[in-house]
């Protein structure tokens, strides 16, 4: 299969995430100290009566928002840029513009050069909730599984020299390492003293259009991305190059990467994210169940209308597989992910991903590293708390599909649907990432439940319910008083010194994947479908809510001498009036990406003239 594909945006910290041929504007006001000029911010006369700093940003955004601006910059039509600014900027201002290659002013600090490889530092930070009244910390995202969205094109532009992350065989020369003490920041000392570990990691997706790679790591804390100057990563434990790309099986790639980008077939099937293998699904593969294994995917699912004009078709009406869920620590929540492809739809067919027999349990852990589930009544609820089943369904209509979230419990039945928008019209998502998320909301004493789907071809996305998750209220439906629970647990922990932690966790009984197609009518004078509805599942995994927040120590120099030195705008087009001693009263910055993929920082300075 050859198909363009895209990574997805998940609400996480990024360096820069850009789409080719599209301007990406990052307003940097909150990040920029007044390094270029120490200028007053008094209110001056302008075309809009507002603070001059805001006016400067308004002018800059208007300029770079003009589709011609990037064309002028890419083709060096600086007189047109000058004319554009003269049109936008009020006559009471002189202006100065600098367009600077971003790589010339950005520095990736703390990078470690080790000869055969360089190390790029990443600080991955789990989310913490502090339970009142004592402020006891609870990790709401995993401390052992992180999902990072990294813009590889941007990192490559910062590395320079002989080091570059491979994008033709995506990330094949990359590894991730960490000191055995994840809080240690002296990675050189850790390597030289052999107190370092190679991290298990997995490349879920790389989008060549944007440069964004989605990477799963078996770690949080201080992590280093190792970029080798060879074709394979460098193994810091053996002091030699790895034999295989990704240092397989330490690292690896998803089936969709292998299928879509001809990446090497090195799926290391990481169990730190509970990745489902063909062995996991072996009991589900059969002709009678409509499920088949394959060399570059997890399962192919075929269903049909059963019969046509009295003749049996070659696929059942329902194909179903129930799988165990093995997550050791899911305090913050639990997510299911599925990368699938719709091959042939039949109207009325439903594809389902969901959790069955979900419970909320109290786990009590002790100093001897044993844990047990509390059974009994506490704080108005009976533990374990039965929640029910939660599913996300794709329903194929004649020309489009619906995404439906269902919460089915003993005390609640909730369903909400949304029609999927595909490009400029409603339609099918043929290659997609489907996600089902359950997370605790301790402040409101319940669970946030949501489902989302991302079109890997067109980069459209949809979620249900739209806007905000569905809230399952543990107080309303199960009688739990979270305030009282906190007091009870605090008393329990204080009275028993051997208790190390007490956690409220989400425990699904099973994971369900299922497809069903409506039965054809007894006769085919109406409409009968004699072919199969076919779906391919490439990758399937379930993990506790991953940590997605990280930062890289990147600094940008806004020294005016440096900006002026690297300014690609010729001298005669940089300013309106060319007054001596240009001293702007306001400045604005933005980053743009040209259609050829290069980044530029655009600086605009305004100086009031004529009594402004």
């Amino acid at each position: 299969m050859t198909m363009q594909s895209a990574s997805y945006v998940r609400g996480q910290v990024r360096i820069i995430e850009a789409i080719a041929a599209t301007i990406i504007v990052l307003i940097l006001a909150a990040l920029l100290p007044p390094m270029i000029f120490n200028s007053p911010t008094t209110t001056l006369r302008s075309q809009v009566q507002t603070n001059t700093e805001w006016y400067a940003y308004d002018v800059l955004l208007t300029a770079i928002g003009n589709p011609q601006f990037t064309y002028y910059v890419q083709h060096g039509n600086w007189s047109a840029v000058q004319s554009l600014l003269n049109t936008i900027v009020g006559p009471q201002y002189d202006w100065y513009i600098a367009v600077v290659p971003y790589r010339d002013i950005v520095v990736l600090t703390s990078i470690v050069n080790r000869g055969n490889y360089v190390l790029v530092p990443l600080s991955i930070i789990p989310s913490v909730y502090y339970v009142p009244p004592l402020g006891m910390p609870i990790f709401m995202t995993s401390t052992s599984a992180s999902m990072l969205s990294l813009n590889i094109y941007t990192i490559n532009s910062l590395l320079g020299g002989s080091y570059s992350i491979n994008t033709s065989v995506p990330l094949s020369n990359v590894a991730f390492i960490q000191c055995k003490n994840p809080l240690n920041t002296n990675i050189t000392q850790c390597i030289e003293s052999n107190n370092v570990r190679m991290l298990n990691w997995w490349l879920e997706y790389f989008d060549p259009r944007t440069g964004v790679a989605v990477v799963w790591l078996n770690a949080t804390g201080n992590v280093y991305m190792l970029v080798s100057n060879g074709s394979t990563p460098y193994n810091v434990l053996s002091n030699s190059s790895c034999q295989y790309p990704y240092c397989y099986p330490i690292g690896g790639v998803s089936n969709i990467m292998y299928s879509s980008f001809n990446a090497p077939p090195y799926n290391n099937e990481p169990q730190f994210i509970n990745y489902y293998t063909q062995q996991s699904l072996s009991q589900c593969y059969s002709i009678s169940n409509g499920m088949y294994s394959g060399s570059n995917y997890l399962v192919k699912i075929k269903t049909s209308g059963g019969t046509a004009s009295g003749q049996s078709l070659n696929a059942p009406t329902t194909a179903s597989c129930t799988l165990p869920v093995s997550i050791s620590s899911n305090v913050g929540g639990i997510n299911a992910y599925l990368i699938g492809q719709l091959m042939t739809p039949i109207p009325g067919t439903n594809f389902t991903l969901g959790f069955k027999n979900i419970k909320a349990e109290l786990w009590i852990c002790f100093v001897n590293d044993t844990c047990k589930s509390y059974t009994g009544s506490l704080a108005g609820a009976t533990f374990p708390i039965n929640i029910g089943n939660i599913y996300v369904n794709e329903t194929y209509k004649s020309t489009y599909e619906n995404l439906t979230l269902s919460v089915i419990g003993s005390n609640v039945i909730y369903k909400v649907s949304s029609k999927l928008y595909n490009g400029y019209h409603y339609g099918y998502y043929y290659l997609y990432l489907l996600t089902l998320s359950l997370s605790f909301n301790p402040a409101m004493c319940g669970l946030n439940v949501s489902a989302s789907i991302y079109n890997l071809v067109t980069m459209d996305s949809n979620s249900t319910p739209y806007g905000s998750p569905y809230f399952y209220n543990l107080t309303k439906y199960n009688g739990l008083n979270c305030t009282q629970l906190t007091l009870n647990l605090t008393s329990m922990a204080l009275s028993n010194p051997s208790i190390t932690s007490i956690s409220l966790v989400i425990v699904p009984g099973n994971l369900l994947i299922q497809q069903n197609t409506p039965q054809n009518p007894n006769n085919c004078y109406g409409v009968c479908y004699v072919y199969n509805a076919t779906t391919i599942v490439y990758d399937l995994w379930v993990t506790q809510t991953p940590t997605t927040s990280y930062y890289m120590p990147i600094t940008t120099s806004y020294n005016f001498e440096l900006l002026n030195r690297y300014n690609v705008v010729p001298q005669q087009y940089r300013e309106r009036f060319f007054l001596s001693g240009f001293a702007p009263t306001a400045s604005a910055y933005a980053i743009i990406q040209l259609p050829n993929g290069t980044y530029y920082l655009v600086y605009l300075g305004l100086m009031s003239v004529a009594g402004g």
Side-chain angles (χ1 to χ4, degrees), residues 398-442:
S398 57
T399 58
Y400 66 92
E401 62 179 292
N402 282 338
L403 188 71
T404 302
L405 176 68
S406 301
V407 180
I408 304 171
S410 57
N411 299 314
V412 59
I413 296 179
Y414 170 85
K415 288 189 178 183
V416 61
S417 297
S418 58
K419 186 184 294 187
L420 299 190
Y421 194 75
N422 186 3
Y424 298 101
H425 53 80
Y426 292 111
Y428 298 131
Y429 280 25
Y430 284 101
L431 186 65
Y432 56 85
L433 171 77
L434 185 63
T435 305
L436 179 61
S437 300
L438 286 66
S439 61
F440 273 118
N441 184 335

Side-chain angles (χ1 to χ4, degrees), residues 26 36 38 95 132 169 175 190 229 240 278 285 304 347 363 372 375 394 397-398 404 419 433 441 499 547 558 567:
L26 299 178
I36 299 183
N38 293 317
W95 55 258
V169 184
C190 291
N229 59 7
S240 61
Q278 289 194 349
Y285 297 136
S304 73
W363 284 4
K372 68 176 183 179
T375 301
E394 292 179 81
K397 304 296 185 178
S398 57
T404 302
K419 186 184 294 187
L433 171 77
N441 184 335
I499 294 177
T547 291
Y558 300 101
N567 191 359

Side-chain angles (χ1 to χ4, degrees), residues 28-60:
L28 302 176
L31 304 177
L32 305 182
M35 292 184 177
I36 299 183
F37 308 101
N38 293 317
S39 58
T41 57
T42 54
T43 302
L44 305 178
R45 294 192 303 271
S46 65
Q47 287 179 319
V48 289
Q49 295 299 315
T50 185
N51 183 283
T52 313
E53 293 285 350
W54 286 111
Y55 176 60
Y57 272 103
D58 185 57
V59 168
L60 180 59

Side-chain angles (χ1 to χ4, degrees), residues 229-257:
N229 59 7
S231 59
T232 62
Y234 194 84
N235 189 323
V236 295
L237 300 179
S238 63
N239 290 318
S240 61
S241 294
C242 297
Q243 182 178 359
Y244 301 109
Y246 313 103
C247 217
Y248 176 84
I250 297 174
V253 298
S254 62
N255 287 332
I256 191 63
M257 285 295 302

